[in-house]
Amino acid sequence: MEKSSYTTIRAASFIVGAVTMATMGRCILFRKRVDDVGTNSITPSSVDASKEFSFGDELLSTPINKVYLFTFPRSKHIHNISPFSLKVESFLRVHNIPYEVISTFKFSPKGQIPYIRLNSKDDGFIIADSNFIIHFLSKKFGIDQMEKNMLSSQEMAVAHAFTRMIEEHTTQIGFYFRYGLNMKQFCSAVIPLDWFQNANSFTLKGWFFGKIWMHVMPGAFAQKVKHVSFGRHSDEEKWKISYQDIQSISDYLGEKTFVFGTEATTLDCTLFGHLAQFLYIPLDFPQKKYIQENCDNVLKYVERFKDLYWKDWDEI
């Protein structure tokens, strides 16, 4: 009887898994079709992949009344589980650019969140990728020239290197910890019960996305990690090389208010968006412990940025 029950359970699990994978395949195809034609409750049918811009230089002559930032719904403790979205929103706040956050689960035609639209949340060109977004807004509002006047060429090079390091190395190790090893705890810590319905999308679609996302992400991210440089290392080795990244930030920051002095730059927005994920999400990130025990200046730096530019942090 026990063997029969066990066999039945395994067979049922196999069937559920097969159905789930088949459904995921349909979802991927459906999402591609949706992205290609741009049809959902947010995006009109007139938007397609040909209207997504990379750096957006073609749009510099467009007057801007408001920037619409499309990103995941607000989450607990961290506001946004995407460090890239938190980075862009911080940039908008630092430079007092009028904006509105639009909660969505729809990705840009290139499959990215966040992305922006100009002047209208329902129509217009899309610029995706946090670095492309900031490049465009910097040129549009003269921020790039301001930073060139403020920073030396060596400091600009440091900003570029730190950005690549934290986005393509440090944060990816953090993603591995929260998605690959602790997905259930991560969701319990930061995802509100209505998170998958708290967006401009069909409730059933949000619910289904949530179920698939929470169950598939750990395995998917584990597979992704196998194909990157740090993927071959043990977990302890991964943590140690991320500590080196954080220590380099701490050493360069020293006792300065911001990375390059008394004024926040794009790099500060970037570092805040990523470091805040480690510090404010209530998970036992190894990187959080390292910062708390070895990089007090980084801890104070993140708090200082939050106090200056996110005065409503506890209210949103």
Side-chain angles (χ1 to χ4, degrees):
M1 182 67 180
E2 291 180 358
K3 183 177 181 181
S4 175
S5 298
Y6 175 74
T7 303
T8 302
I9 291 171
R10 289 202 60 180
S13 298
F14 176 80
I15 293 170
V16 169
V19 171
T20 300
M21 293 304 295
T23 306
M24 284 177 61
R26 294 190 188 98
C27 286
I28 292 169
L29 290 172
F30 174 73
R31 197 188 102 185
K32 175 164 176 49
R33 292 184 188 121
V34 168
D35 284 341
D36 286 344
V37 300
T39 55
N40 81 343
S41 59
I42 294 179
T43 309
S45 58
S46 61
V47 176
D48 55 38
S50 66
K51 297 185 74 175
E52 179 175 349
F53 288 79
S54 294
F55 291 104
D57 291 351
E58 304 90 335
L59 305 177
L60 288 173
S61 61
T62 303
I64 297 180
N65 300 316
K66 181 184 282 189
V67 172
Y68 289 89
L69 175 62
F70 291 77
T71 185
F72 298 119
R74 296 296 192 193
S75 53
K76 297 184 291 185
H77 303 291
I78 192 63
H79 287 304
N80 205 298
I81 63 168
S82 166
F84 304 97
S85 295
L86 197 57
K87 158 190 170 182
V88 172
E89 189 168 357
S90 294
F91 180 86
L92 293 166
R93 285 171 174 248
V94 166
H95 297 290
N96 297 310
I97 298 172
Y99 76 96
E100 181 179 335
V101 173
I102 305 297
S103 297
T104 186
F105 294 117
K106 176 176 171 56
F107 291 74
S108 75
K110 287 196 293 187
Q112 292 179 296
I113 278 182
Y115 55 94
I116 63 169
R117 276 202 171 112
L118 309 177
N119 302 324
S120 172
K121 65 181 180 180
D122 298 317
D123 199 3
F125 302 106
I126 290 174
I127 302 174
D129 189 291
S130 62
N131 289 314
F132 290 174
I133 292 169
I134 287 177
H135 170 90
F136 168 74
L137 295 175
S138 292
K139 293 193 74 171
K140 178 63 181 177
F141 292 99
I143 298 164
D144 60 338
Q145 192 58 52
M146 180 186 71
E147 291 196 353
K148 285 179 182 177
N149 294 336
M150 182 193 311
L151 306 177
S152 67
S153 58
Q154 290 84 1
E155 288 172 326
M156 295 289 286
V158 168
H160 178 82
F162 270 145
T163 297
R164 290 294 178 267
M165 178 190 75
I166 200 163
E167 293 190 345
E168 299 182 15
H169 191 256
T170 324
T171 285
Q172 298 306 314
I173 294 175
F175 283 167
Y176 167 72
F177 180 85
R178 77 189 203 186
Y179 294 139
L181 302 181
N182 296 281
M183 185 65 174
K184 184 176 180 180
Q185 297 91 321
F186 170 73
C187 290
S188 297
V190 300
I191 305 300
L193 293 176
D194 64 343
W195 195 71
F196 293 106
Q197 286 78 44
N198 186 24
N200 294 326
S201 58
F202 181 49
T203 299
L204 182 58
K205 179 182 175 183
W207 175 86
F208 185 75
F209 176 89
K211 291 294 183 181
I212 294 296
W213 182 71
M214 286 188 286
H215 286 89
V216 171
M217 192 65 168
F221 205 87
Q223 287 298 315
K224 175 184 176 181
V225 166
K226 290 181 180 179
H227 300 289
V228 297
S229 60
F230 62 80
R232 69 196 68 183
H233 302 310
S234 69
D235 288 352
E236 284 302 316
E237 289 170 332
K238 292 182 181 73
W239 312 155
K240 287 180 180 178
I241 58 178
S242 70
Y243 299 159
Q244 293 172 348
D245 295 348
I246 294 168
Q247 189 62 53
S248 69
I249 295 170
S250 176
D251 291 345
Y252 193 88
L253 174 65
E255 298 304 315
K256 299 189 294 293
T257 303
F258 296 110
V259 176
F260 297 119
T262 58
E263 295 184 47
T265 64
T266 299
L267 178 59
D268 296 295
C269 300
T270 300
L271 293 180
F272 175 79
H274 290 271
L275 292 172
Q277 304 284 322
F278 293 121
L279 292 174
Y280 298 138
I281 292 175
L283 283 180
D284 293 329
F285 286 102
Q287 296 80 6
K288 178 191 296 185
K289 183 178 180 181
Y290 185 85
I291 293 172
Q292 292 171 338
E293 294 181 354
N294 300 278
C295 302
D296 186 61
N297 64 333
V298 172
L299 188 63
K300 292 177 179 176
Y301 163 74
V302 175
E303 281 290 312
R304 183 162 53 246
F305 189 99
K306 178 169 72 72
D307 291 343
L308 280 171
Y309 298 110
W310 287 86
K311 297 182 187 297
D312 54 351
W313 185 269
D314 297 322
E315 302 170 6
I316 297 177

